[in-house]
Amino acid sequence: MESMFKTWLVMFILILSTSYLHYCVNGKSQVPCVFIFGDSLSDSGNNNNIPTSPKSNYKPYGIDFPIGPTGRFTNGRTSIDIITQLLGFEKFIPPFANTSGSDILKGVNYASGGAGIRNETSMAMGFVISLGLQLTNHRAIVSQIASRLGSIDKAQQHLNKCLYYVNIGSNDYINNYFLPQLYSTSHIYTPQQYAEALIQELSLNLQVLHDIGARKYVLVGLGLLGCTPNAILNHGTNGVCVDEENAPPFIFNGELKSLVDHLNNKFSADSKFIFINSTFESDGQNSGGFVVSNAPCCPLRLTGGCIPDERPCNKRNEYVFWDEFHPTEAWNLLTARRSYNSLNSGFTFPLDIKQLVELEVKMELESTNATASKLSASS
């Protein structure tokens, strides 16, 4: 009887293994859920109804998005929107502000325009949902997931399989360190010390995420802040990038990459962290048909952001920037594809997103097959 049971169990596990492969081949979502933390580069509507100046729920924002303006700070999809599509999700991950009736088991987007790692970042612009507050919102969602699944243990098992995407830090420079008239950080810290302070605080937040179930992390580095139209205009460099504002992102990214190494060693048994190097130059901004890299596509207000209802540029696929800070959907598409599958280009470290999720599948299949082999040998 025991022999028959073991034989049946081996067959069941092999069938399950085959089904798992079939599931992946058919292009269904490669992870069950994605949780998104960050700023306006990832925000999909969390700022719409809070008292703050960074808002984008009006035209021409969203001009190329299927349902028009949503609170995304671009003309169409953000990078993480496209990444979730590459992962096989049929619907975009909903913003925390709009989770009523949403399937939170598939993930939530907590990102907020203006948000930073530090709580005081962008506060001169009004209320912002800092990274710390985003974690508070995540805890509330985790409690709801536990209620839906029946226990905190089942919630943990579910969350362990999710992808955690963290893209934050730009505002800690643009709306903090680079504004000495409003914030004291540049008087207190050297650029190296400030990067280290930011990474230390980020590390503590990642530890909190780990404590409540996160195991697969995508940590996105800073882009070239001195090459934004805002920096170029403010410094009057006649279209040339501002070197002094490009230096800090390289320092920050170096520290972030080191943090990824440290955390991979610290949590080697059950977690994996990857780094997206947003300052990495492969084909440069002239690749993919981009013609304009130092000017915005939409006409700008004096206070920042696109002028409401004004007509943007016609050839949006040729522009890197949509407004004074945020990329066009065309540039987001390039970034998302490189993040998902970098083809060993150096854009990601130590893996790309595709390899990260496939590593999980491979480990589960190897575990399944090892169990099957042991049961077969003992039957």
Side-chain angles (χ1 to χ4, degrees):
M1 184 69 177
E2 184 180 352
S3 177
M4 288 178 61
F5 173 77
K6 288 182 178 179
T7 301
W8 173 84
L9 188 56
V10 169
M11 290 178 64
F12 174 77
I13 291 173
L14 290 174
I15 291 169
L16 185 65
S17 175
T18 303
S19 298
Y20 200 100
L21 282 171
H22 180 70
Y23 177 88
C24 297
V25 169
N26 278 334
K28 295 181 181 178
S29 61
Q30 296 158 42
V31 287
C33 38
V34 177
F35 292 99
I36 302 160
F37 301 84
D39 52 31
S40 54
L41 294 174
S42 306
D43 191 354
S44 59
N46 285 312
N47 274 24
N48 292 352
N49 297 311
I50 62 174
T52 190
S53 57
K55 291 183 185 288
S56 57
N57 55 337
Y58 62 88
K59 291 182 179 179
Y61 288 101
I63 190 172
D64 297 311
F65 196 74
I67 59 173
T70 58
R72 288 168 168 83
F73 288 77
T74 183
N75 58 305
R77 296 166 294 169
T78 63
S79 291
I80 187 56
D81 284 331
I82 298 165
I83 288 168
T84 56
Q85 289 179 317
L86 292 171
L87 286 168
F89 285 83
E90 294 181 0
K91 296 180 179 180
F92 297 117
I93 304 301
F96 176 77
N98 247 4
T99 53
S100 178
S102 300
D103 187 358
I104 58 174
L105 295 178
K106 292 185 178 179
V108 174
N109 185 339
Y110 305 99
S112 169
I117 297 170
R118 296 174 69 94
N119 289 331
E120 82 273 9
T121 289
S122 300
M123 289 300 286
M125 305 168 71
F127 178 73
V128 293
I129 310 171
S130 65
L131 181 58
L133 291 175
Q134 291 177 35
L135 289 177
T136 298
N137 292 338
H138 182 56
R139 286 192 188 93
I141 290 295
V142 170
S143 295
Q144 293 178 38
I145 290 173
S147 296
R148 288 194 183 193
L149 297 181
S151 72
I152 190 65
D153 287 341
K154 288 182 179 178
Q156 289 275 340
Q157 292 170 17
H158 178 74
L159 295 170
N160 288 169
K161 300 176 183 177
C162 301
L163 191 70
Y164 290 75
Y165 178 89
V166 183
N167 185 356
I168 199 164
S170 296
N171 289 307
D172 292 295
Y173 288 94
I174 295 170
N175 291 318
N176 192 325
Y177 197 74
F178 292 164
L179 296 176
Q181 68 274 25
L182 296 176
Y183 300 94
S184 61
T185 47
S186 63
H187 303 296
I188 298 171
Y189 301 101
T190 66
Q192 180 65 43
Q193 290 170 339
Y194 189 59
E196 290 172 358
L198 289 175
I199 293 299
Q200 182 178 13
E201 190 165 347
L202 176 62
S203 178
L204 293 174
N205 285 312
L206 295 174
Q207 178 67 61
V208 171
L209 274 179
H210 187 273
D211 292 343
I212 53 180
R215 294 297 181 268
K216 290 189 285 291
Y217 304 76
V218 178
L219 307 183
V220 183
L222 305 187
L224 295 173
L225 303 179
C227 291
T228 64
N230 178 270
I232 290 169
L233 181 65
N234 286 344
H235 287 78
T237 56
N238 196 29
V240 179
C241 294
V242 182
D243 289 340
E244 59 264 38
E245 291 195 2
N246 272 344
F250 282 102
I251 300 172
F252 179 92
N253 287 355
E255 294 295 322
L256 184 58
K257 185 178 179 182
S258 295
L259 177 65
V260 164
D261 253 344
H262 170 72
L263 293 175
N264 277 330
N265 290 327
K266 179 178 179 180
F267 298 114
S268 59
D270 67 348
S271 301
K272 195 68 180 179
F273 298 75
I274 68 170
F275 163 65
I276 307 295
N277 187 2
S278 300
T279 57
F280 179 82
E281 292 293 337
S282 178
D283 297 321
Q285 294 185 342
N286 295 320
S287 65
F290 293 97
V291 177
V292 183
S293 63
N294 57 5
C297 175
C298 76
L300 300 176
R301 298 182 298 186
L302 291 177
T303 55
C306 301
I307 298 174
D309 298 318
E310 281 291 311
R311 185 181 180 88
C313 65
N314 290 324
K315 297 181 179 180
R316 293 186 281 279
N317 288 344
E318 294 183 357
Y319 279 69
V320 171
F321 287 98
W322 168 248
D323 60 17
E324 74 271 40
F325 291 114
H326 308 101
T328 58
E329 181 185 66
W331 185 258
N332 287 335
L333 181 61
L334 177 63
T335 301
R337 286 174 173 168
R338 291 160 106 189
S339 300
Y340 179 74
N341 188 357
S342 64
L343 300 174
N344 300 315
S345 67
F347 189 69
T348 59
F349 171 86
L351 307 170
D352 56 36
I353 295 175
K354 184 171 183 285
Q355 291 169 327
L356 176 64
V357 298
E358 286 179 348
L359 179 66
E360 178 75 11
V361 171
K362 182 180 178 182
M363 288 171 63
E364 289 190 18
L365 287 175
E366 287 177 349
S367 176
T368 299
N369 290 333
T371 303
S373 298
K374 287 181 181 179
L375 288 172
S376 178
S378 62
S379 62

